[in-house]
Amino acid sequence: MAETETLDSSPHPPQLSDDNPTGNEDQDMLDADKSAKDSDSDSQSDSDSDSEDDAQQNTQIHALETEILNNPSNYDTHVQYIKALRKQGDIEKLRQAREAMSAIFPLSSEMWQEWTKDEISLSSGLDALPTIEKLFDCGVSDYLSVALWCDYLSFVQEHDQSVRTLSAAGISKARNLFERALVAAGLHVAEGSRIWELYREFEQAIFLTIDETDADSREKQVQRIRNLFHRQLSVPLADLCSTLLTYKAWEAEHGANLDVDSSNLDGLSPQVASSYQKALDMMNGRTHLENQISHKVAPESERLKNFRDYLKFEQSLGDPARIQILYERAITEFPISSELWLDYTHYMDKTLKTSSLVRDTYKRASRNCPWVGELWVRYLLSLERSRASEDEISAVFEKSLQCTFSSFEEYLDIFLTRVDGLRRRLSLLTSGAESSNLDYIIIRETFQRASDYLSPHLKNTESLLRMYRYWARLESTLGKDLVAARGVWERLLKISGSVLEVWQGYIAMESAMGNINEARSLFKRCYSKRFPGTGSEDICNSWICFEREYGALDDFDLAVKKVTPRLEELQLFKLQEAKSIGVSADDGDNSSRKNVREKRKPISNLIEEQSPAKRHKDKAKNVKITSEDGKGIAKEPVKVNDKKPDVAASKPVSGSKKENKDVTSGKPQQYDDQCTAFVSNLNLKATHDDLRKFFSDVGGVVAVRILTDKFTGKSRGLAYVDFSDDKHLAAAVAKNKHTLLGKRVSIAKSDPKGRKRGSAAPGTSLRQGDNADQTTESSKSGAKNSAEGSEGGLQPSSHHRASNIQLKGKNTFAMPRTVRPLGWVDKDQPKSKESDSVEDENPKSNDEFRKMFIRS
């Protein structure tokens, strides 16, 4: 600005000239300098912005690389990483990223198209041709894509020198590739015509290169093109009518007299007309199905259902080629639908069995849905049917173990399928039908790997027992090693020695092999063990039967001598448990009957009818309630002489708000036996939470009551589960024989009316998680009401007792002790003459009762 002001204030203004008509030469120079500075400033700003973008891209790429390193099976991270590298332009890292992802996942057709276009633009010369062709081959094998096939065909025609020059080798290579494309996508109803058109154009180009003087070659080429038209017109494709018009126009060019503007069949050969009409009818029958699956905006579930309907339609017609290509179209749209892959592979197994195409389908299925164990099992069986090499089968097996499945049972199925295949091959080797370097050691190692991995998770389950039984049998038959077979059983006994079936399986193996002494020693080891349910009695009786069938008389006598005391001990124990549970049931019945009776009596009578000793005992003792979490609290006694008993002090710890409300309200919970399920054969470690979780899919669980030993407090493997209604109860009963904590539980509707009064499950007492002691709550409620109705506390009164109690019948001596204790005398009340006259009506002592019995 200073320079400008100086120029403006000069006494002699600049002269005008032809080069500078305005006379502002200096000003123009200043403007030019300013423009240059602004340009430099903008350039610097753009450079800074680019640097910031580059830094952000590098940070993002580094973060994605770290995430892929930590979790290489994250599909979305791979996709984002490839996009970031492509944006950055790092060709080498981009190529490596694509190869790494392709090794783990199948790529979409769009990703393959991007990859091939990038490689084509970067590569030149004949050296790059095989690499790019290999990329196309991998791409078309992942999913069905007509667009990718067209790119492949166009690339070969354009960049392959032999094909471009139409040499004999080039023509043969191109035709083979076109036929591959027709097999893969030529029946695609919506897009298949694109491949047919490219094929015809290629043949038409060959025709144009043939010299006109070579009539034979030209006629052969014309016939080749005509055959392509006939083949396409016999396939139901979307643009069938336009293909017919194109064909008629082409025939007209070669001398045929046809109406090229009409779609009628006049002038065509009967065979072509018939094939076309049949294809047209087939197309018309599929139009509505094609329209349904073409709705991209429809919900995914609806589109999948439309594909399934379409597949059922094609399967009803029974054309394997059309069914297969429709499956390919479906999995292209739904690549991770496990049900769709299972259906597809099952269909391929059923129709083709040993074809290499079946193996390829299973390979693709396992890449798309690696978490489905059944697909891997079928894959291994498919390899075995097609007589694949041991190396290939072993590689697939090892790859399957690297996947994550939803249950350990799926891992077990894969292990056993592998063992099955090895066993069959070894059996063929021993019979001389096959030669190989297989050895039984592979089977043993497979079993050992399965045991090490699965035993902690499948402990005490039928599945684990099945695997070990299989293992032991193969050790003795194929391995010819009885010591190893016994070692297998001993290994299982360390894991599941409390399971009766394990001992029975071990004994059965020894018995089947004629090892009587070894089987007898196993009986001696296990007969004194305690098994769930009737298992202890069963093993004792099995020993007796075993000695009866295999042993000598001394052996039989010894077994009887050992078993008899054990059976008596078990019987006595059951009787004691039945007696204790019977007493508990009687107490419960008496409590319920007492509650009903007390509802009809005045509040004051509830206290008056108890003896002083009984009331004192009730006040002195604490009542313990066991909740679902296994904890109990002592309930403080209600003091009768208090005006307001402390209800909060008697509030038990419970598992839910509903339970607290029921207990603290003083009202005993009522359970509807019509909606109660009786659960037996429980695992002794099962808790209330385990049962609730077991019935979580059923719903409607109101209460869970586990039956426990009266003396030890341990579970007896029995429980009652109350449900809100019959619907939930029926659903629960339907889970009968399902497995809970490794045991198959028995579930039935509870039917207390069908049992004798006072009976219950033998040898058990009731542990209620959702229910308080009704008897205790009733007495508490009565005491509370009586206390509230008295100002200074209630004292026992003899005349109140006598006026309220009426004894009827001859056996009046058998009056309840809670009404008036024997020999009771009211010391506070003076004895009147009138009382002497009714002395015979007073309660009698024990000696008086004996005299009465003697006189009678």
Side-chain angles (χ1 to χ4, degrees):
M1 291 296 293
E3 185 178 2
T4 305
E5 291 175 356
T6 303
L7 291 173
D8 292 341
S9 61
S10 60
H12 302 285
Q15 299 295 321
L16 298 178
S17 65
D18 295 337
D19 296 334
N20 185 16
T22 62
N24 292 331
E25 182 178 1
D26 294 337
Q27 183 67 34
D28 291 342
M29 293 175 62
L30 291 175
D31 291 341
D33 292 340
K34 183 177 180 181
S35 176
K37 291 180 180 179
D38 292 341
S39 176
D40 294 340
S41 177
D42 292 341
S43 176
Q44 182 67 26
S45 177
D46 293 340
S47 177
D48 294 340
S49 178
D50 292 340
S51 299
E52 291 179 0
D53 293 341
D54 292 341
Q56 291 179 356
Q57 287 182 2
N58 292 331
T59 303
Q60 181 188 11
I61 290 174
H62 180 69
L64 292 172
E65 287 175 347
T66 304
E67 188 172 352
I68 290 176
L69 185 64
N70 296 330
N71 185 14
S73 60
N74 191 326
Y75 182 90
D76 294 333
T77 305
H78 281 279
V79 174
Q80 295 174 11
Y81 183 48
I82 291 173
K83 288 182 178 179
L85 291 176
R86 194 166 188 259
K87 183 178 181 181
Q88 189 185 50
D90 192 336
I91 303 303
E92 190 60 33
K93 292 184 69 174
L94 176 61
R95 184 180 292 117
Q96 294 175 358
R98 282 167 166 166
E99 291 174 352
M101 183 178 181
S102 177
I104 303 174
F105 302 104
L107 306 185
S108 65
S109 59
E110 292 78 11
M111 296 182 71
W112 281 113
Q113 285 181 294
E114 283 185 357
W115 191 355
T116 53
K117 287 179 181 178
D118 291 345
E119 293 293 342
I120 291 171
S121 62
L122 296 172
S123 304
S124 60
L126 297 176
D127 295 339
L129 183 64
T131 302
I132 299 176
E133 286 182 343
K134 185 178 179 181
L135 286 180
F136 275 115
D137 287 331
C138 293
V140 296
S141 65
D142 274 350
Y143 300 111
L144 173 62
S145 173
V146 174
L148 189 59
W149 271 111
C150 292
D151 291 347
Y152 191 4
L153 295 168
S154 299
F155 167 78
V156 171
Q157 293 181 76
E158 181 178 352
H159 294 83
D160 192 318
Q161 184 69 21
S162 62
V163 177
R164 189 169 63 248
T165 59
L166 296 178
S167 65
I171 292 175
S172 176
K173 176 181 178 179
R175 284 173 177 169
N176 291 334
L177 186 60
F178 274 115
E179 291 296 334
R180 279 182 57 197
L182 288 179
V183 171
L187 297 179
H188 194 300
V189 175
E191 303 177 13
S193 58
R194 295 175 58 186
I195 297 177
W196 290 98
E197 291 174 1
L198 288 176
Y199 199 177
R200 293 200 317 268
E201 291 174 358
F202 174 74
E203 296 294 346
Q204 185 69 25
I206 296 175
F207 174 77
L208 296 177
T209 62
I210 300 175
D211 188 70
E212 294 182 358
T213 60
D214 192 352
D216 293 338
S217 298
R218 290 176 65 87
E219 183 60 29
K220 288 181 180 179
Q221 188 62 24
V222 168
Q223 188 60 39
R224 184 182 292 274
I225 298 173
R226 182 178 289 112
N227 290 338
L228 276 178
F229 271 116
H230 292 174
R231 289 172 61 187
Q232 183 178 357
L233 291 173
S234 64
V235 178
L237 299 174
D239 53 353
L240 199 58
C241 294
S242 62
T243 303
L244 176 63
L245 295 177
T246 304
Y247 170 61
K248 294 174 72 174
W250 180 83
E251 287 285 5
E253 291 178 0
H254 291 80
N257 185 15
L258 297 174
D259 185 1
V260 296
D261 297 328
S262 174
S263 60
N264 59 53
L265 304 178
D266 296 340
L268 298 179
S269 65
Q271 182 178 1
V272 174
S274 175
S275 299
Y276 172 79
Q277 188 61 48
K278 182 179 179 181
L280 186 61
D281 294 340
M282 293 174 64
M283 183 61 223
N284 292 334
R286 291 165 172 78
T287 302
H288 69 287
L289 296 171
E290 287 288 335
N291 292 335
Q292 288 178 350
I293 65 175
S294 63
H295 291 318
K296 302 296 183 181
V297 295
E300 184 174 317
S301 59
E302 182 179 347
R303 293 173 56 210
L304 181 58
K305 179 181 178 299
N306 293 335
F307 267 107
R308 290 187 177 279
D309 294 339
Y310 200 168
L311 285 167
K312 290 180 180 178
F313 173 79
E314 291 290 358
Q315 288 172 353
S316 66
L317 299 177
D319 188 341
R322 301 198 62 80
I323 296 173
Q324 181 186 350
I325 200 169
L326 186 56
Y327 267 120
E328 290 292 342
R329 294 176 63 185
I331 63 175
T332 302
E333 295 289 334
F334 305 97
I336 59 173
S337 174
S338 58
E339 295 181 358
L340 198 57
W341 278 109
L342 287 170
D343 291 343
Y344 185 20
T345 53
H346 177 71
Y347 174 78
M348 298 295 285
D349 270 334
K350 183 174 62 176
T351 54
L352 301 178
K353 291 187 181 297
T354 61
S355 171
S356 59
L357 185 60
V358 180
R359 294 164 56 182
D360 294 340
T361 305
Y362 273 113
K363 182 178 180 180
R364 295 166 56 209
S366 62
R367 280 166 56 83
N368 282 273
C369 300
W371 60 87
V372 182
E374 186 177 354
L375 283 174
W376 290 102
V377 170
R378 292 186 184 181
Y379 190 6
L380 291 172
L381 293 174
S382 175
L383 292 173
E384 186 180 358
R385 290 191 192 98
S386 59
R387 299 189 178 277
S389 65
E390 173 61 24
D391 293 338
E392 184 178 0
I393 297 176
S394 178
V396 172
F397 170 67
E398 294 296 335
K399 191 173 182 180
S400 68
L401 297 182
Q402 299 173 7
C403 301
T404 302
F405 303 122
S406 59
S407 68
F408 291 100
E409 297 284 350
E410 293 184 272
Y411 287 103
L412 179 60
D413 288 342
I414 292 174
F415 274 111
L416 294 181
T417 303
R418 172 63 170 157
V419 171
D420 294 341
L422 291 171
R423 176 188 59 80
R424 285 187 283 263
R425 290 199 170 193
L426 283 176
S427 299
L428 292 175
L429 287 176
T430 55
S431 63
E434 187 175 304
S435 61
S436 176
N437 52 2
L438 285 177
D439 189 55
Y440 178 76
I441 191 65
I442 302 178
I443 293 181
R444 181 176 295 156
E445 291 174 352
T446 304
F447 271 123
Q448 288 175 346
R449 291 178 62 187
S451 175
D452 294 340
Y453 181 63
L454 299 176
S455 293
H457 308 287
L458 298 178
K459 184 178 180 181
N460 297 339
T461 61
E462 175 65 26
S463 299
L464 189 65
L465 173 59
R466 185 176 72 252
M467 185 191 76
Y468 271 88
R469 184 189 295 116
Y470 189 16
W471 185 4
R473 184 172 64 82
L474 293 185
E475 288 286 357
S476 61
T477 55
L478 282 180
K480 308 295 182 183
D481 191 343
L482 181 58
V483 176
R486 288 171 178 161
V488 171
W489 282 110
E490 293 295 339
R491 183 173 181 173
L492 181 58
L493 286 177
K494 293 179 181 179
I495 301 171
S496 304
S498 61
V499 178
L500 175 64
E501 289 77 4
V502 175
W503 290 94
Q504 290 175 334
Y506 195 175
I507 293 170
M509 185 196 76
E510 295 288 4
S511 301
M513 299 179 67
N515 302 322
I516 305 303
N517 292 331
E518 286 75 8
R520 182 178 293 114
S521 65
L522 290 174
F523 275 116
K524 292 179 181 180
R525 288 171 58 185
C526 69
Y527 85 96
S528 60
K529 291 183 176 293
R530 186 168 183 178
F531 298 104
T534 61
S536 301
E537 293 87 340
D538 293 342
I539 198 65
C540 291
N541 295 327
S542 298
W543 190 6
I544 297 296
C545 295
F546 171 81
E547 296 296 355
R548 180 180 291 114
E549 296 176 5
Y550 297 100
L553 181 58
D554 292 340
D555 299 324
F556 178 79
D557 293 339
L558 179 61
V560 172
K561 182 179 178 181
K562 293 280 188 181
V563 166
T564 301
R566 175 60 176 162
L567 290 175
E568 292 176 354
E569 178 186 357
L570 294 171
Q571 185 66 23
L572 180 61
F573 183 75
K574 285 196 171 185
L575 289 175
Q576 291 176 349
E577 289 183 334
K579 183 178 179 181
S580 63
I581 202 62
V583 172
S584 300
D586 288 339
D587 291 343
D589 291 343
N590 292 336
S591 176
S592 61
R593 290 195 299 272
K594 181 178 178 181
N595 290 336
V596 175
R597 183 174 67 250
E598 288 174 348
K599 290 180 180 179
R600 304 192 182 118
K601 292 187 177 183
I603 297 177
S604 61
N605 291 345
L606 297 177
I607 300 300
E608 292 175 0
E609 289 184 2
Q610 291 185 351
S611 66
K614 177 67 174 179
R615 288 198 302 275
H616 179 72
K617 182 179 180 181
D618 288 343
K619 290 188 293 180
K621 72 177 183 178
N622 293 335
V623 180
K624 187 174 182 181
I625 298 178
T626 305
S627 62
E628 286 193 13
D629 58 3
K631 298 180 180 180
I633 63 169
K635 295 175 62 178
E636 295 295 335
V638 179
K639 296 182 180 180
V640 179
N641 58 354
D642 291 341
K643 292 184 180 181
K644 295 183 179 180
D646 188 2
V647 177
S650 63
K651 187 175 182 180
V653 178
S654 183
S656 65
K657 295 181 180 180
K658 181 178 179 181
E659 295 164 358
N660 293 339
K661 181 179 179 180
D662 293 341
V663 176
T664 58
S665 64
K667 298 180 181 180
Q669 295 184 10
Q670 301 293 330
Y671 292 100
D672 186 3
D673 289 326
Q674 300 298 326
C675 298
T676 301
F678 177 67
V679 185
S680 60
N681 198 34
L682 278 173
N683 190 311
L684 298 183
K685 296 182 180 180
T687 63
H688 295 82
D689 292 336
D690 293 330
L691 283 170
R692 285 185 177 275
K693 188 180 297 183
F694 180 71
F695 289 109
S696 60
D697 57 336
V698 174
V701 176
V702 176
V704 177
R705 295 167 286 165
I706 298 179
L707 304 182
T708 61
D709 186 277
K710 180 179 181 181
F711 303 103
T712 64
K714 295 182 179 180
S715 172
R716 295 298 301 132
L718 305 171
Y720 290 99
V721 181
D722 300 310
F723 293 89
S724 58
D725 51 41
D726 291 335
K727 180 179 179 181
H728 291 93
L729 175 61
V733 174
K735 298 191 68 174
N736 184 34
K737 300 302 180 183
H738 284 211
T739 301
L740 172 61
L741 298 182
K743 295 195 66 175
R744 297 177 65 186
V745 297
S746 299
I747 307 172
K749 181 178 180 182
S750 176
D751 187 15
K753 296 181 179 179
R755 301 193 302 264
K756 292 183 179 180
R757 184 177 180 180
S759 64
T764 57
S765 63
L766 185 62
R767 180 175 73 198
Q768 297 184 8
D770 299 334
N771 191 17
D773 189 336
Q774 296 183 1
T775 305
T776 303
E777 293 298 332
S778 299
S779 61
K780 172 186 170 184
S781 177
K784 176 182 175 181
N785 295 335
S786 300
E788 291 177 352
S790 173
E791 296 180 358
L794 296 176
Q795 298 297 328
S797 174
S798 61
H799 66 272
H800 283 171
R801 285 181 176 276
S803 62
N804 289 330
I805 303 300
Q806 297 181 1
L807 301 178
K808 299 180 180 180
K810 296 181 179 180
N811 297 329
T812 58
F813 61 86
M815 65 176 60
R817 297 276 177 125
T818 57
V819 176
R820 180 185 295 178
L822 292 176
W824 176 83
V825 177
D826 191 353
K827 296 181 180 180
D828 297 334
Q829 181 177 356
K831 188 175 182 181
S832 62
K833 296 180 181 180
E834 189 175 359
S835 63
D836 296 336
S837 61
V838 294
E839 184 178 359
D840 292 339
E841 297 182 5
N842 292 335
K844 297 177 174 52
S845 65
N846 292 336
D847 292 337
E848 290 173 331
F849 282 136
R850 296 189 187 96
K851 293 178 181 179
M852 290 174 59
F853 283 121
I854 294 173
R855 287 197 295 268
S856 60

